[in-house]
Amino acid sequence: MAKIIDGKKIARDILLDLKSKVDKCDKKPGLAVILASDDDSSKLYVESKEKKSLALGYKSCIYRFDKSITQGKLIQLIHELNADKGTNAILVQLPLYKHLDAQQILELIDPRKDVDGFHPINVGKVSCGLKPYAYCCTPKGIVKLLKAYNISLAGKNVVVIGRSNIVGKPVAMLLSNENATVTLAHSKTKNLKSITKEMDIIISATGQSKLIKADMVKKGAVVIDVGITRHYNGTLSGDVDFEKVKEVAGYITPVPGGVGPMTIASLMENTYELFLEQNK
Ligand code: GUN
């Protein structure tokens, strides 16, 4: 029976520590969040980011736009936020409305305020093994979870399933920097089971509910579930068939309460770190 990795608890500890540091600051970190989407999940994510940043005493500002927003208006807002001394961190919630060019927007954010670590300068720094201004939030949260449970990474065989710019690719890079041997699998990968069966650590970030079955997991392996699917009846499930896989795995993250809270904790931590860097 696997040990359940309690992301909620680790995230709470990070936020408590952060709160005590922020309370000692005269000025407060400023986080700007841009929501240009009518995606329900994105709306919920942005609300919980707002709640957490208010609880920490951050000066957070949410910019919500309807479908009439233009690329030009968004570009202008990014320029204003880049120039605003009170804004230390900028987050553009993805995905954007289909008529907008997200990559152009991400590349216009000042890399020093790029709280998601999505700017090519920050992505490039990580790929060179250098410290970026900010690490991508979910990958950073996953590495913290593994470390909190003393799960060593050096020399471990890890498969990351899903090659998104938000999770799959950056977490593969971070784990490689931690000396893991990383396989990056995706929707075109052949015979996924023959790969996952051999792995010490499985990280699944596909959004395909219950993709990872018990017979795909080596006994004692660590299983990290980044996927989240909302069902019509309001329930949530991850990429992993949790009830069955927990009988085989050594460690497993639940959904909800695993990786999700760590993403927000990393975002709050990144905001604080960018604030400190800009006020040195
Ligand atoms: N959409 C899904 N996850 C994320 C994230 O971590 N950051 C941003 N900006 N958008 C997302």
Side-chain angles (χ1 to χ4, degrees):
M1 181 79 153
K3 211 169 177 173
I4 311 293
I5 296 180
D6 189 348
K8 228 167 143 176
K9 181 193 175 298
I10 307 294
R12 197 181 317 124
D13 291 348
I14 292 172
L15 292 171
L16 277 174
D17 178 52
L18 206 49
K19 176 96 170 73
S20 73
K21 289 179 185 156
V22 175
D23 284 347
K24 292 191 190 101
C25 299
D26 294 332
K27 281 205 287 182
K28 301 297 172 196
L31 169 66
V33 177
I34 297 171
L35 176 63
S37 160
D38 50 18
D39 178 71
D40 287 334
S41 301
S42 291
K43 285 181 194 164
L44 287 174
Y45 290 142
V46 164
E47 268 169 32
S48 75
K49 287 167 185 177
E50 183 176 29
K51 239 166 66 189
K52 283 283 183 301
S53 62
L54 286 174
L56 284 170
Y58 289 1
K59 289 178 291 134
S60 75
C61 188
I62 316 284
Y63 297 84
R64 290 183 168 85
F65 297 102
D66 62 27
K67 262 205 172 92
S68 67
I69 180 72
T70 62
Q71 184 79 3
K73 285 248 168 63
L74 219 44
I75 290 173
Q76 193 189 333
L77 174 61
I78 299 290
H79 287 318
E80 284 167 15
L81 294 171
N82 282 343
D84 176 27
K85 290 252 180 325
T87 301
N88 308 110
I90 303 170
L91 181 145
V92 177
Q93 185 67 32
L94 299 176
L96 294 178
Y97 292 120
K98 287 222 162 55
H99 66 281
L100 299 168
D101 177 350
Q103 192 57 31
Q104 186 192 27
I105 300 292
L106 295 179
E107 290 186 24
L108 288 171
I109 296 173
D110 181 337
R112 290 166 184 78
K113 295 189 176 187
D114 170 32
V115 72
D116 262 323
F118 291 165
H119 192 286
I121 288 205
N122 287 320
V123 176
K125 279 178 183 275
V126 175
S127 80
C128 295
L130 302 172
K131 193 173 180 296
Y133 293 105
Y135 287 97
C136 292
C137 299
T138 303
K140 177 177 175 174
I142 291 170
V143 172
K144 282 208 166 190
L145 267 189
L146 295 169
K147 290 191 172 171
Y149 280 80
N150 293 316
I151 296 165
S152 65
L153 291 166
K156 291 285 175 69
N157 290 319
V158 183
V159 61
V160 176
I161 310 164
R163 55 180 157 177
S164 71
N165 292 336
I166 295 177
V167 182
K169 276 188 259 178
V171 81
M173 199 57 80
L174 275 194
L175 294 169
S176 165
N177 290 349
E178 296 282 342
N179 300 310
T181 302
V182 184
T183 301
L184 183 53
H186 47 77
S187 54
K188 300 278 192 298
T189 297
K190 290 189 181 133
N191 203 355
L192 184 61
K193 182 171 153 182
S194 70
I195 299 171
T196 58
K197 273 295 275 179
E198 301 298 317
M199 294 291 156
D200 303 311
I201 302 176
I202 298 172
I203 299 178
S204 188
T206 69
Q208 240 180 288
S209 183
K210 300 194 179 172
L211 170 73
I212 308 299
K213 311 277 190 223
D215 66 353
M216 297 169 75
V217 177
K218 182 171 82 170
K219 192 159 176 50
V222 178
V223 179
I224 305 291
D225 192 348
V226 190
I228 189 152
T229 305
R230 271 168 228 283
H231 300 283
Y232 289 116
N233 62 5
T235 59
L236 297 177
S237 67
D239 283 3
V240 176
D241 187 356
F242 182 83
E243 289 306 324
K244 303 235 170 70
V245 172
K246 80 176 194 306
E247 302 298 326
V248 184
Y251 291 85
I252 189 167
T253 59
V255 174
V259 173
M262 294 300 291
T263 298
I264 300 212
S266 297
L267 171 65
M268 295 302 128
E269 205 173 52
N270 283 356
T271 301
Y272 176 69
E273 285 167 6
L274 294 178
F275 161 80
L276 284 188
E277 191 63 28
Q278 289 162 36
N279 285 280
K280 270 208 304 217

